[in-house]
Amino acid sequence: MADDLSNHSNGVVPNLEELFKQLNTSNDPDNELIQSLPSLIAGLESCKNIISNQSSTSENKSNAWSKVLKTIEMIANFAKNDISRDPLGASGAVDLIVQFMQLNDSQSYDSIDYQCFRALANFCINSDVNRQRILDSGGINSVLVCLKKQKNLESIRGACAVLLNAGLQYDRVNSEIIKLDGIIALSNLLEPKNILKKYVENIDIARTTVYFATRVLLNLIGIDEGKSKCATTEVITALTHLLSYASSDNATNEDVDIIEYVVEILESIAIDSDEVQQILVKDKLFYSLLDFLEHSKPPEGCNQRIDKIYGESKATALKVIVSTTMSDKNMDPLFDDTIILNRLLNWLELGPERDDLQMCAALSLGNLARSDTHCIKLVHDIHIVEPLANVLKTSSNVKVQHAAISALKNLSIAAENKDIIGSSGIIGATSPLLEKDTVQPVQFVVVGIFKHLSSQNVKNSLKIILGENKNDVERPLTRLLNLIKRTDDLPIRSEGTRILVNLVKNMWVEKSHTVLEGTPVSSLRSELNRQEVVLPLANMIIESKYPILQNEGIIALTLLIMDDSAGSGDSNPALNILSSTNEREEIGDNTTSQSIVHSVVNDEMIPSNSSTVATQQEHSSISPLLKSLLDMISSERDKYADEIKCNVCLLLEKSVKASCGTRKQYLKESILPPLTSLLEQNQLPDKFKSAIERIIKCLN
């Protein structure tokens, strides 16, 4: 017959059956195949001609398809071998296989599709060249056409395998999949009703199919366009439904592998996407994440690897939950959802055995407490402070502690909450955490709580200065000062110093003769007007790049210098630091005058036998603090506001008034020339000009 393969072209093309026999009996089948590739490809071309020829009989077409099936199956098997893979790819087999898939599109040879997918998937193993060949031949489009039709489970699995292997670390293929709306086709496979529930009798193949599909999606979201196209209700819904189904009570080890990739995809597309986070809440998919975290368990009797994957997957789901509560647009809907809110509150009460839920609840509630309205309701109506405090006191897990204090930090911003939180023992309970140098994030949050609670609040300031009970090993203030002194973390040091500013302001608001909870204000002021407090304030003025922080330090130092109980001369630490030429020098009670002769200038600290030259050198040197202050008032107006410059002038004025003798002479020689020069300038604001004139008047 004209289309009989064994007689095609006068016998030039050998019988494919004979070729199969040769390969089956060969001692070196791979090399035998490579040598026979021209004949094999010619045989496939002949089959293609018969199949595509409309005049071919059904019997001849069927016979040709049978030979194609057997040949492509053989190619798929040989393509698994490194030695055969590249020659097969270069032979033109890829183009032919794709053409056979296209020819089969209108026919029902399901096994042809499956073997074609096997061959293409195996071609891609460790071969970007073959990946590109599949792309150039239109193979990705043909695979997706078949996938979208969902002919049968084997073909679906094979199509997913091709997409997975072809796109593995090869974004040209992944971009093509995205361009051809592959994400929609893949997300349809993730819906349990379409694969896992539909093919229960072949559940192992169904699981493998879904597993491949999740891995392909993971490849696709490695591209920005893929990540954005996954941010749809359809994809997010499919992922959460799959998570719920795969984590059911009868889940297997294979389901855990699926879960791992589902939560990884969710994390990747949800963590930084407000759009995805809003979909989770708006479409009630958030409940599925909560259910997974609270109720799901790894398969009974699973091995250590599976147990570890499950734990990591839950940790990832926790991140997605917490990030979803961070969305500004989700804050009100989640807070108003009493089911979710009560569930989070109940998680706080579960105890250390479910510290994952405690941590998730604390972080989520802290994120919802980003408005005064929510903060006040949580503290006054829902009474959240006590359970958070209990978590903090009973948990030894640093991450859980961090979560609890982070929530308390947000809650303590609202002025109406400060007294309630302060009276809960939080200051005393969190104070020891300032010693944990290995966990700076915890230290930073504790510092934040202290800062918020002490802002315009005398009661809480007292608790920080004196401690909450007499049995405290160290007072919170002492721990705070030690932390500021030893830490290299600038944010901790800056925020810690701002607490000192709050304490100073609060103690100077009160009258000096007032008694607060049994302690005279004058004694409380003495606790603050000492070197350990003054030095950080001065350093904040010198080191900070932020005028608002510098201004806070200036205000606090001004109050300390004005303190009647400190007196004048060397007994006032604030004045001492103003004339210290060493930026970080510490002046202790037992420091000798000889050791600080270049740091503090006053009559008592200059030895009687010091030369005039030495004295002049001391007077000509200017302290880092004083230099910073003079630089601030001499700077351009766009760097420091006139209000800050006036505050600097007030500090200098009070310093001059509190000084006498050599110290006053030092200040006069240091600041009179630059102030006089400033005064000679035109266009100084009247308020600023008057402030400078008052300093000069005090100096003369």
Side-chain angles (χ1 to χ4, degrees), residues 267-283:
E267 178 188 26
S268 180
I269 62 179
I271 289 292
D272 298 317
S273 172
D274 269 352
E275 185 179 359
V276 174
Q277 293 165 8
Q278 289 165 41
I279 289 172
L280 286 168
V281 174
K282 177 175 61 71
D283 294 318

Side-chain angles (χ1 to χ4, degrees), residues 524-544:
L524 295 168
R525 289 183 179 181
S526 297
E527 288 284 339
L528 298 174
N529 202 353
R530 53 192 173 107
Q531 184 69 23
E532 295 87 347
V533 176
V534 170
L535 187 62
L537 294 171
N539 284 331
M540 185 163 74
I541 298 172
I542 297 167
E543 297 175 348
S544 181

Side-chain angles (χ1 to χ4, degrees), residues 70-239:
K70 192 170 183 178
T71 305
I72 295 179
E73 182 179 8
M74 181 187 66
I75 290 173
N77 292 335
F78 275 101
K80 291 188 288 187
N81 304 331
D82 292 341
I83 190 173
S84 302
R85 187 178 305 121
D86 289 342
L88 277 168
S91 70
V94 170
D95 286 336
L96 278 169
I97 289 171
V98 172
Q99 289 169 26
F100 282 122
M101 289 170 57
Q102 293 166 349
L103 285 170
N104 190 41
D105 186 42
S106 59
Q107 302 185 43
S108 301
Y109 295 99
D110 294 338
S111 52
I112 289 289
D113 286 333
Y114 176 64
Q115 293 303 334
C116 288
F117 292 145
R118 284 189 63 234
L120 294 179
N122 291 342
F123 277 140
C124 294
I125 299 173
N126 300 322
S127 178
D128 284 349
V129 173
N130 283 342
R131 291 183 175 109
Q132 188 61 44
R133 287 189 177 115
I134 293 172
L135 183 60
D136 293 340
S137 69
I140 299 303
N141 181 62
S142 295
V143 170
L144 285 170
V145 167
C146 181
L147 183 64
K148 292 171 184 177
K149 291 185 176 181
Q150 297 189 15
K151 291 182 179 180
N152 62 73
L153 184 58
E154 284 281 15
S155 294
I156 297 170
R157 179 180 67 168
C160 290
V162 177
L163 297 178
L164 174 59
N165 285 5
L168 197 62
Q169 297 180 344
Y170 200 70
D171 283 344
R172 291 180 182 177
V173 166
N174 292 325
S175 294
E176 183 74 1
I177 296 172
I178 295 166
K179 175 184 172 184
L180 297 172
D181 292 329
I183 287 176
I184 297 175
L186 289 162
S187 65
N188 286 335
L189 303 181
L190 302 188
E191 271 290 354
K193 65 181 181 181
N194 293 334
I195 299 293
L196 291 174
K197 290 182 179 180
K198 183 177 180 179
Y199 297 102
V200 176
E201 69 281 2
N202 291 311
I203 191 62
D204 290 340
I205 297 176
R207 284 195 181 101
T208 303
T209 302
V210 173
Y211 171 73
F212 285 167
T214 57
R215 288 193 59 187
V216 176
L217 272 179
L218 198 60
N219 286 344
L220 300 183
I221 61 175
I223 302 175
D224 289 340
E225 186 182 0
K227 186 179 290 188
S228 65
K229 286 204 170 185
C230 280
T232 64
T233 299
E234 292 76 15
V235 176
I236 306 304
T237 300
L239 287 166

Side-chain angles (χ1 to χ4, degrees), residues 36-53:
S36 305
L37 278 176
S39 298
L40 184 144
I41 296 301
L44 284 176
E45 287 280 5
S46 297
C47 290
K48 184 187 74 171
N49 292 336
I50 294 171
I51 293 168
S52 58
N53 189 342

